[in-house]
Amino acid sequence: MEPVALRTERLVLSPARLDDVDHATALLQEPVMGTMLASLPWPYTREDSEFYIGRMVPAGWASGEALSWAIRESEDGPQLGDIGWRPPRGDVGFWLGAPSRGRGYMTEALRAVVDWVFETTPELDRIGWEAVAGNVASARVARAAGFRYDGERPVEVRFRDGSFPNGWHAHRLRSDDGSAHEGWPL
């Protein structure tokens, strides 16, 4: 599959580029990233970022199995975070660097990806989301983007230590209008 760029009112979502390596590496040094993104190598190194951006991102797009976008304020702006759609699992995942939080960027990016997925995959009726139980920031984004809370159970993505700790799970239906739903643990 050829990479696709998405645009929102304030953002450009496009595949990460090699010139994003240093900035992405710096953003992922925040200790909370090691806790909440526990499938991420930790400590996260420049080599990890080079591997992800230089090999995993292109391979994911080429196979169609892991589509990821760097989040930017402009086409040539620095990477603020990352959002991905994993078709085999039917779910989304995301992170945003601390300097860009609190502006609604991640909710805007998530809405754009969900809209694109439903638009380009007419047979799909449901998109999933999961986060480590207690990841309130991620849950607030999913709730604001119209996801419905399903409950707490082990995560489906194996953590770097081989475990599957408890996570919060939610979904968004094609028929949902994108408004927030009650029942979230926050």
Side-chain angles (χ1 to χ4, degrees):
M1 170 177 243
E2 286 296 313
V4 173
L6 305 175
R7 287 175 170 66
T8 71
E9 183 178 321
R10 302 179 297 164
L11 302 172
V12 175
L13 310 180
S14 59
R17 308 177 297 249
L18 286 175
D19 63 350
D20 292 319
V21 166
D22 290 327
H23 193 68
T25 303
L27 291 174
L28 288 165
Q29 296 308 302
E30 184 183 5
V32 72
M33 297 295 192
T35 303
M36 296 300 169
L37 300 175
S39 62
L40 191 73
W42 197 259
Y44 194 76
T45 66
R46 187 176 198 287
E47 290 75 27
D48 294 322
S49 192
E50 286 175 337
F51 180 76
Y52 177 73
I53 291 172
R55 299 189 73 192
M56 290 182 70
V57 169
W61 277 100
S63 70
E65 293 188 6
L67 314 181
S68 68
W69 295 266
I71 301 165
R72 308 173 195 285
E73 291 177 309
S74 65
E75 186 74 35
D76 59 350
Q79 182 176 9
L80 310 176
D82 196 80
I83 186 165
W85 161 242
R86 299 171 288 222
R89 296 198 33 204
D91 74 348
V92 291
F94 47 81
W95 63 265
L96 191 66
S100 302
R101 294 184 197 140
R103 299 181 194 173
Y105 284 169
M106 189 51 75
T107 300
E108 189 174 324
L110 180 56
R111 287 178 185 274
V113 169
V114 166
D115 289 349
W116 179 82
V117 169
F118 281 141
E119 182 181 305
T120 60
T121 318
E123 69 279 6
L124 186 72
D125 289 321
R126 182 183 193 281
I127 295 173
W129 164 90
E130 75 174 14
V132 175
N135 188 339
V136 173
S138 186
R140 284 185 177 142
V141 168
R143 181 178 181 269
F147 281 70
R148 300 168 182 263
Y149 182 67
D150 295 329
E152 187 172 322
R153 67 178 188 276
V155 296
E156 295 175 18
V157 174
R158 181 186 308 269
F159 277 30
R160 75 180 77 81
D161 67 2
S163 69
F164 294 89
N166 276 347
W168 289 338
H169 297 261
H171 70 279
R172 168 105 182 254
L173 299 174
R174 175 184 293 280
S175 58
D176 287 338
D177 65 5
S179 60
H181 296 275
E182 299 299 318
W184 285 82
L186 41 121

